[in-house]
Amino acid sequence: MQNEFVGLMQSLAPDLVSELAQRALVLERIATMAPVGRRQLAVKLHLTEREIRACANTLREQGLITLDPAGMALTDKARDLLPAVQAFNHALNNLTGMEDALADCLQIGRVCVIPGNADEDEAVIDEVGRAAAQRVRGMLHSGATLAVAGGSTMAATARHMHSPSPLHVMVVPARGGWGRAVHTQANTLAAEIAQHLGGHHRLIHLPDYMDDAAKQEMLRLPDVREVMELIQRADVILHGIGCAEEMLRDSKLAPSQARRLLAEGAVGESFGAYYDKEGKCLLASSSVGVDLARLSPGCRMIAVAAGKHKAEAIIAVLRHDRHALLVTDEGAAREMLRLLNHR
């Protein structure tokens, strides 16, 4: 019904729809960035300061935002309207149609597309994380085990993973330690999510990459073995997706091996494994963490990735492993559909 109403508005009053769309977009971004100045918001939305000023004045007159030296922020009235505003933007951009088309093309249980392109507006990552957190909570139940990978998109998801009442779940890292940024490590995010949900967590005090001999030796330790068994019994696995070229720059692989993977067509990375555009695994993971081949049949995998430049990587990973849910942004979704329709 909402899509039909938006379609009618576009036919009868396209000028009004354009103005409403701009106000809705400004409200969404203020919600994410508040307090935010008009100049900063104009840069983020690729609008002029004059456009932002006119829109902000109208929203203030309607009692939807406040304006002070610290910047713009939503009023309680606007926060109550925000879900409807987000739904309007969703319908206006035909995101439901994109979600259905992607789910069908990639054989995914469900796709959630957030307006915007994270390549152009970093605030979109936060909205993608918010949407992912909301949907993950809906999949969890008391006694469930959630395994989470690391990365900046996972960090955005963790920030919004709250529950109104304690949810007695076990949260574990899906991978060992990787890189140097502590705040995006799987261990850190597992602990943060558990705290937000009122659950429990276990940590892997191991680097992400270890040779087989060292890994087998560490598995003799009871604490390590317990966590690895919890990971393999996970009910939900939450992870991001990387572009192969970007991930190889920071990997532990020899430069010659990295060049070979790119020459063979590697475009996507997940859990330390690399895939070509058809979903063929070019290099199996040697990471410490989840073994995707040994997951329980009922385990649901959730991928969260955003930005137009990630489109090919997302397709590659999702073609290899069946997922219950993909949360992405409009930039990646449109590019994925373009790539899929040209194959």
Side-chain angles (χ1 to χ4, degrees), residues 52 81 97 245:
I52 292 294
L81 287 175
E245 187 171 3

Side-chain angles (χ1 to χ4, degrees), residues 6-296:
V6 170
L8 179 62
M9 289 178 62
Q10 289 173 322
S11 298
L12 295 178
D15 53 332
L16 294 180
V17 172
S18 177
E19 190 172 340
L20 281 172
Q22 188 177 89
R23 292 181 193 176
L25 181 60
V26 167
L27 274 179
E28 274 200 293
R29 287 299 179 269
I30 293 175
T32 302
M33 301 170 65
V36 58
R38 287 177 295 207
R39 179 175 300 176
Q40 183 184 2
L41 189 60
V43 171
K44 289 291 183 183
L45 296 181
H46 304 289
L47 297 172
T48 65
E49 278 194 67
R50 183 176 181 178
E51 289 174 309
I52 292 294
R53 185 181 301 109
C55 186
N57 287 338
T58 300
L59 293 174
R60 183 177 59 175
E61 290 169 2
Q62 294 171 336
L64 297 176
I65 66 170
T66 58
L67 281 171
D68 58 40
M72 298 177 286
L74 299 189
T75 63
D76 290 339
K77 178 182 177 181
R79 278 188 282 273
D80 291 339
L81 287 175
L82 194 58
V85 169
Q86 292 169 330
F88 173 77
N89 273 340
H90 206 271
L92 186 64
N93 293 290
N94 190 32
L95 300 187
T96 301
M98 280 192 276
E99 291 169 343
D100 292 342
L102 280 173
D104 183 58
C105 288
L106 294 172
Q107 297 298 294
I108 310 169
R110 185 181 174 193
V111 176
C112 172
V113 177
I114 301 303
N117 179 2
D119 290 350
E120 300 174 350
D121 181 1
E122 61 186 21
V124 173
I125 287 287
D126 195 65
E127 288 304 308
V128 169
R130 189 193 306 273
Q134 180 182 0
R135 283 153 182 80
V136 170
R137 283 197 307 271
M139 294 183 176
L140 297 174
H141 56 82
S142 183
T145 297
L146 167 66
V148 59
S152 57
T153 309
M154 291 296 95
T157 304
R159 282 197 298 273
H160 296 290
M161 194 80 75
H162 294 276
S163 178
S165 58
L167 189 58
H168 300 293
V169 297
M170 175 63 72
V171 188
V172 293
R175 296 180 67 171
W178 181 84
R180 297 182 180 179
V182 176
H183 68 285
T184 59
Q185 295 288 320
N187 270 339
T188 304
L189 301 182
E192 181 181 350
I193 290 172
Q195 182 181 19
H196 290 334
L197 295 179
H200 311 280
H201 70 276
R202 296 288 186 274
L203 304 180
I204 303 178
H205 297 291
L206 297 174
D208 187 57
Y209 176 78
M210 298 178 72
D211 60 42
D212 287 337
K215 191 186 302 184
Q216 292 306 314
E217 189 65 28
M218 294 305 297
L219 285 173
R220 295 175 183 271
L221 299 174
D223 288 349
V224 175
R225 189 165 60 248
E226 177 198 8
V227 178
M228 298 300 284
E229 289 173 355
L230 282 170
I231 295 171
Q232 287 306 134
R233 297 201 306 266
D235 299 288
V236 177
I237 292 183
L238 176 65
H239 71 97
I241 293 173
C243 294
E245 187 171 3
E246 294 175 0
M247 300 304 291
L248 285 168
R249 281 200 295 266
D250 297 323
S251 75
K252 300 289 185 180
L253 296 177
S256 59
Q257 192 173 20
R259 288 193 295 271
R260 179 180 61 79
L261 283 170
L262 292 175
E264 291 177 357
V267 295
E269 181 275 344
S270 180
F271 294 106
Y274 290 85
Y275 306 90
D276 69 12
K277 63 182 181 180
E278 301 302 328
K280 177 185 176 182
C281 182
L282 302 176
L283 178 68
S285 173
S286 57
S287 299
V288 171
V290 64
D291 182 350
L292 299 181
R294 294 178 48 242
L295 291 175
S296 61

